[in-house]
Amino acid sequence: MKNQLLLFLVIINTSLFAQIGAKVQQQSQNKLTGIWQNSSQGFQMVLMLNEDRSGEFDGEAIHYAVVGSKLSIEASGVKTVYDFVLQINSLTLSGGDLQASLMFTRAGSIPSAQAAPSQSVKTKTEPTSNAKLLGLWSGNGESIEFTKEGKCNYLGQTYPYEQSNEHVTLQTAQGNVMMAYVVANNQLTLTVNGKQLVYSKGTQGAISVSKGNVAQELVGKWCYVNVYSTSTGGSSSSSCFVLNGDGTYEYSGESSRSVNTSDLYGGTSSQSEDRGTWWVQGDRIHYNSQSRGPGSYQLQKQNHPKNGDPMIVIDGQSYVTFYNKAPWR
């Protein structure tokens, strides 16, 4: 009888601890959900953690899990585990693929020293911030307008928007798009998925900015090709884009996979196309895509280490010239 009672208590305790552990883990995950931002690297990095364990990290779709003080993030089939420290409005990640710890701040949060002032401070700052956003802004070969009626006019379309805490959220048919914004010196900087777009007040420069920054040395066709094969199959992918001297571009890409084993035989293929306008500002190449809208990539010029052919490196991906061109100097 005594042994039966002991066994019963062990079962009860084990079940109870499991429930408590699951509850603590769920609470930890709930505290992590939200939008976190970091700009210590010279650009804004955004980590979005949704309640259903989906999200985005620097513009890439992810799935995540929380176990104790570990945050596991899976993107493109690769899982990375970080150590994390969570405070009221900050999330610090370390380990994984990071060389140093990285601290994110919860979007819309304010320092605790500023949290004490009551509603009177909030009602003063919000209208002022909203007033700065209103009006027509031009740049990147396009215009964007925010009206006092809560409408955003962009690329011939009108979207309802909401503004709070230096963020503006567009309501689109595909879902809400949240952007951080800063207004300073008659310029509007929008940050979307870690990419920054700069606009000037009014209509000036809407066309000249784009054409004036078309880098003629980049005009031409650039390609990336990757082929992998084994005795049981393989894959190949290629993408090419043509940068025209008038500031327009054309893109085409294709990929294929095949498998050939005793149990399975077959293959898949896909193709994609795009076109739009392009220009260069500093170390970034900007685009306005017909299918994706505006954006930008980091741009570098390098020569091929083996044959010296000029390459352009876009966000770490190298594209080699398709035609004969002299090496970069």
Side-chain angles (χ1 to χ4, degrees):
M1 182 68 180
K2 183 178 180 180
N3 290 337
Q4 291 178 349
L5 177 61
L6 179 61
L7 178 61
F8 176 74
L9 290 176
V10 169
I11 294 175
I12 290 295
N13 287 338
T14 302
S15 175
L16 180 60
F17 289 150
Q19 293 176 16
I20 292 175
K23 186 174 182 180
V24 169
Q25 181 174 339
Q26 182 64 39
Q27 289 176 343
S28 178
Q29 177 184 319
N30 291 340
K31 291 179 180 179
L32 283 177
T33 58
I35 298 176
W36 303 89
Q37 299 173 329
N38 173 280
S39 57
S40 62
Q41 308 299 313
F43 59 92
Q44 189 170 58
M45 187 181 302
V46 178
L47 172 62
M48 182 185 301
L49 301 177
N50 301 321
E51 292 185 359
D52 62 356
R53 298 188 181 184
S54 66
E56 290 185 10
F57 193 10
D58 202 20
E60 186 174 7
I62 64 169
H63 286 86
Y64 75 95
V66 179
V67 179
S69 62
K70 303 287 186 180
L71 174 63
S72 173
I73 294 180
E74 183 175 354
S76 301
V78 178
K79 182 181 293 185
T80 307
V81 180
Y82 302 94
D83 296 309
F84 76 86
V85 176
L86 178 65
Q87 296 181 344
I88 296 177
N89 287 316
S90 69
L91 172 64
T92 302
L93 301 183
S94 60
D97 55 2
L98 298 175
Q99 296 181 352
S101 61
L102 205 59
M103 187 179 75
F104 291 80
T105 302
R106 190 183 294 275
S109 64
I110 58 177
S112 57
Q114 299 178 7
S118 61
Q119 189 70 21
S120 59
V121 176
K122 184 177 180 181
T123 54
K124 288 181 180 179
T125 57
E126 285 187 352
T128 303
S129 179
N130 185 53
K132 292 181 180 180
L133 180 66
L134 298 179
L136 181 65
W137 304 87
S138 301
N140 312 318
E142 62 190 24
S143 295
I144 186 170
E145 181 182 18
F146 295 94
T147 73
K148 62 182 180 181
E149 292 80 17
K151 303 294 183 182
C152 173
N153 301 314
Y154 177 65
L155 295 180
Q157 302 291 325
T158 299
Y159 307 98
Y161 78 91
E162 295 180 353
Q163 178 275 336
S164 65
N165 296 322
E166 305 302 329
H167 284 77
V168 59
T169 302
L170 301 186
Q171 301 172 11
T172 74
Q174 291 73 35
N176 291 347
V177 178
M178 186 176 185
M179 303 176 287
Y181 77 89
V182 176
V183 177
N185 300 323
N186 256 1
Q187 285 191 326
L188 168 66
T189 302
L190 296 176
T191 303
V192 189
N193 292 333
K195 311 298 183 182
Q196 291 188 338
L197 301 171
V198 180
Y199 299 86
S200 299
K201 192 74 171 182
T203 58
Q204 66 273 17
I207 297 178
S208 61
V209 169
S210 173
K211 292 185 176 180
N213 288 282
V214 172
Q216 295 299 316
E217 70 271 18
L218 300 182
V219 171
K221 185 175 182 179
W222 306 88
C223 294
Y224 163 81
V225 178
N226 182 40
V227 178
Y228 173 78
S229 62
T230 66
S231 58
T232 58
S235 64
S236 67
S237 62
S238 65
S239 57
C240 294
F241 56 86
V242 179
L243 301 178
N244 299 311
D246 61 356
T248 61
Y249 76 85
E250 299 176 5
Y251 167 86
S252 62
E254 59 182 30
S255 63
S256 63
R257 294 177 181 272
S258 63
V259 60
N260 185 6
T261 68
S262 57
D263 299 322
L264 186 63
Y265 174 81
T268 61
S269 63
S270 63
Q271 294 181 332
S272 59
E273 293 182 349
D274 188 26
R275 63 184 68 244
T277 58
W278 70 280
W279 62 98
V280 173
Q281 188 173 22
D283 63 347
R284 302 194 71 83
I285 182 168
H286 295 257
Y287 64 85
N288 188 10
S289 162
Q290 288 186 356
S291 60
R292 299 172 54 193
S296 68
Y297 298 109
Q298 186 179 37
L299 172 68
Q300 292 178 297
K301 295 189 292 186
Q302 294 181 1
N303 292 322
H304 196 284
K306 292 185 178 180
N307 55 28
D309 285 345
M311 304 186 301
I312 56 176
V313 184
I314 298 179
D315 270 6
Q317 180 64 64
S318 299
Y319 294 81
V320 183
T321 178
F322 186 81
Y323 303 111
N324 292 328
K325 292 175 74 76
W328 304 119
R329 294 184 179 180

